[in-house]
Amino acid sequence: MSAIPMDVQHVILAGLIASTCASLGTAVGSVGVFFIQTLSRRLEDGLLSLAAGIMLAATFFSLLLPAIEYGTEQYASEMAGALIAGAGVISGALLLFFIHQAVPHEHFVTGREGAEGKKLARIWLFVIAITLHNFPEGLAVGVGFAGGEITNGLSLAVGIGIQNIPEGLAVSVALMSVGYSRIQSAAIGVASGLVEPVGGLIGAIAVSSTASVMPWALAFSAGAMLFIISDEIIPETHQNGNQNVATFSLIIGFVAMMFLDIVLG
């Protein structure tokens, strides 16, 4: 693993800047609502699945594999590295699960989830759902700079930034389709991406604090991302008869991110 030395301040700054740049993808996609009035359900499912494929590849190549390598290096055992990665993944997924159970939010297809009896305006339920989705992505970018791995962090930022574009567009168009104005839809979409730099800052601080945290933080972020892919995106894109489009869009996104990770690495 060829890391470029970076001090603590530089790791934190890099994580913050990279996650901020990744969030711009959401903004770019969201303002697309001024040029595109509607998205067919088929195209929307395809775009969201493409984003899921990018996230899935980023999870494996930029988070899980480095987590296993760091764990193996720290404990001089491949089994220890694998066990740490597995425990981190489960921890990240469980935290997202409990947050989803406790916080009321709404998906475009599957409807409301989380705690009942919370009388929030529907617009805020959408905002909460989008925020729950974007925070782990920013966290992943921040922890991607673990050990001063600039190329790993950059590939994550680029990949997540790209997948944020169709995601931001789909979210804004969906909001407009249920009665919100173009300005409202674009503004909510842009605002939803602002949580990513917060996640990036937290992730970068975590991995820069001590080397022993690195494999756990990387695997934790991977688990959170996997939960989002399986719990949110795949169910949303497989309920409208577009399973084949969704499946192959996910595969294309996975291959594109795999290629990007190799080229930038």
Side-chain angles (χ1 to χ4, degrees):
M1 183 178 298
S2 58
I4 300 175
M6 297 175 69
D7 58 28
V8 171
Q9 290 81 5
H10 286 157
V11 170
I12 294 174
L13 182 61
L16 177 61
I17 293 175
S19 57
T20 300
C21 291
S23 72
L24 294 179
T26 302
V28 171
S30 298
V31 298
V33 76
F34 289 102
F35 308 99
I36 299 175
Q37 294 186 359
T38 59
L39 285 175
S40 68
R41 178 59 67 181
R42 183 182 179 88
L43 179 58
E44 185 175 334
D45 288 342
L47 288 174
L48 290 176
S49 294
L50 183 73
I54 293 173
M55 290 173 64
L56 188 61
T59 296
F60 283 104
F61 295 106
S62 297
L63 293 172
L64 271 181
L65 290 182
I68 294 172
E69 289 181 26
Y70 278 120
T72 299
E73 182 179 311
Q74 287 181 15
Y75 296 95
S77 168
E78 291 184 349
M79 180 174 289
L83 287 173
I84 289 173
V89 167
I90 293 172
S91 299
L94 281 175
L95 179 61
L96 262 291
F97 170 76
F98 288 124
I99 291 175
H100 275 65
Q101 294 299 305
V103 179
H105 59 286
E106 181 163 342
H107 300 290
F108 296 120
V109 176
T110 56
R112 298 197 179 199
E113 292 183 359
E116 297 294 334
K118 305 283 187 180
K119 295 191 175 181
L120 295 176
R122 193 177 183 209
I123 190 170
W124 291 111
L125 293 175
F126 278 124
V127 171
I128 292 171
I130 297 165
T131 301
L132 290 174
H133 190 158
N134 284 334
F135 180 80
E137 295 175 4
L139 185 69
V141 173
V143 302
F145 288 93
E149 286 284 351
I150 296 178
T151 54
N152 189 54
L154 287 179
S155 66
L156 266 168
V158 172
I160 289 177
I162 292 172
Q163 70 93 23
N164 277 340
I165 296 175
E167 193 174 80
L169 176 62
V171 166
S172 295
V173 169
L175 283 169
M176 192 174 70
S177 72
V178 295
Y180 300 109
S181 68
R182 290 181 190 275
I183 294 178
Q184 283 179 317
S185 301
I188 294 169
V190 172
S192 73
L194 297 180
V195 73
E196 290 193 10
V198 177
L201 181 61
I202 293 174
I205 291 174
V207 298
S208 63
S209 60
T210 174
S212 62
V213 174
M214 289 186 213
W216 289 99
L218 287 162
F220 181 90
S221 298
M225 297 251 287
L226 284 173
F227 179 86
I228 290 170
I229 295 168
S230 179
D231 186 70
E232 294 188 13
I233 301 180
I234 291 178
E236 288 268 319
T237 57
H238 282 66
Q239 292 199 16
N240 307 293
N242 299 319
Q243 295 91 332
N244 292 335
V245 171
T247 297
F248 281 100
S249 295
L250 185 147
I251 292 172
I252 291 171
F254 184 94
V255 171
M257 182 60 197
M258 178 182 67
F259 180 79
L260 180 66
D261 187 82
I262 293 173
V263 170
L264 291 181

